[in-house]
Every structure is written in structure tokens, then in C-alpha cells.
């Protein structure tokens, strides 16, 4: 083995070690960001439980109702679903107008 081959081989090992160290550093930073995000989420949940006027289940129920109304309106606007309650309300309005 010549001197140049030895230097090249050592340079390759040094470059591989440097890339590994950088990859390990990026992995550690990603893990730290994940831990921080989970900590912020935990603090937000604790603050919500302590400061909101209603229990979390109440908000979940209201959110579910709102999501249902939103998706039903999307389906109705696309013509994929007809809503009997809208038809009934429209029918009662027209019958109320006929009575007056």
C-alpha cells in the first residue's frame, strides 16, 4: 500500500465517520423537536382541562355535530344526499305561507 492509498483510505473513513456523526446529530435534533411538541401538547391539554368552562367531552360532542353538519352539507351540495329535514323545513315554510 502506498502513501497516497493510505491517505485516501483514511480520508474515506474520516468522511464516513463525519457523515455518521452528522446523521446522528440530525436524528437527535428531530427527537428533541418531537419531545418539545409532545410537551406543548401536554401543557395545552392540562390548560384546557383546568381553564375551559365545560368538560372535554362536551367540546368533542359539539365538534362531532359540527363535522357531521359540514359533511352532510358537502354531500348535499354535490347532489349525493338529499336531506329530509331540509325538505320538511322547506315544506313547512311553504305551508305556513299558504295559511297566512
Amino acid at each position: 500500500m502506498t502513501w497516497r492509498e493510505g491517505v485516501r483510505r483514511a480520508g474515506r473513513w474520516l468522511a464516513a465517520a463525519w457523515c455518521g456523526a452528522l446523521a446522528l446529530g440530525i436524528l437527535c435534533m428531530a427527537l428533541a423537536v418531537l419531545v418539545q411538541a409532545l410537551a406543548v401538547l401536554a401543557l395545552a391539554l392540562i390548560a384546557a382541562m383546568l381553564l375551559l368552562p365545560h368538560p372535554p367531552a362536551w367540546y368533542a360532542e359539539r365538534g362531532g355535530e359540527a363535522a357531521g353538519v359540514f359533511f352532510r352539507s358537502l354531500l348535499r351540495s354535490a347532489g349525493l344526499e338529499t336531506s329530509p329535514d331540509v325538505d320538511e323545513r322547506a315544506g313547512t315554510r311553504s305551508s305556513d305561507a299558504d295559511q297566512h
Side-chain angles (χ1 to χ4, degrees):
M1 176 162 73
T2 66
W3 173 253
R4 286 185 183 217
E5 289 176 2
V7 170
R8 283 184 185 160
R9 188 173 291 175
R12 287 184 191 136
W13 276 100
L14 187 60
W18 181 246
C19 286
L22 290 177
L24 186 62
I26 290 172
L27 182 66
C28 289
M29 286 189 283
L31 184 63
V33 169
L34 177 65
V35 168
Q36 289 174 358
L38 291 175
V40 168
L41 182 62
L43 287 174
L45 288 174
I46 291 171
M49 288 175 21
L50 295 176
L51 300 175
L52 291 175
H54 299 287
W58 185 86
Y59 292 102
E61 183 180 334
R62 296 303 177 271
E65 290 173 4
V69 169
F70 174 72
F71 287 116
R72 278 194 302 273
S73 68
L74 281 179
L75 291 175
R76 248 184 275 123
S77 68
L80 299 175
E81 178 184 320
T82 58
S83 177
D85 60 350
V86 172
D87 296 336
E88 289 174 9
R89 281 186 270 154
T92 57
R93 287 183 187 155
S94 62
S95 65
D96 289 342
D98 293 338
Q99 291 177 357
H100 292 287

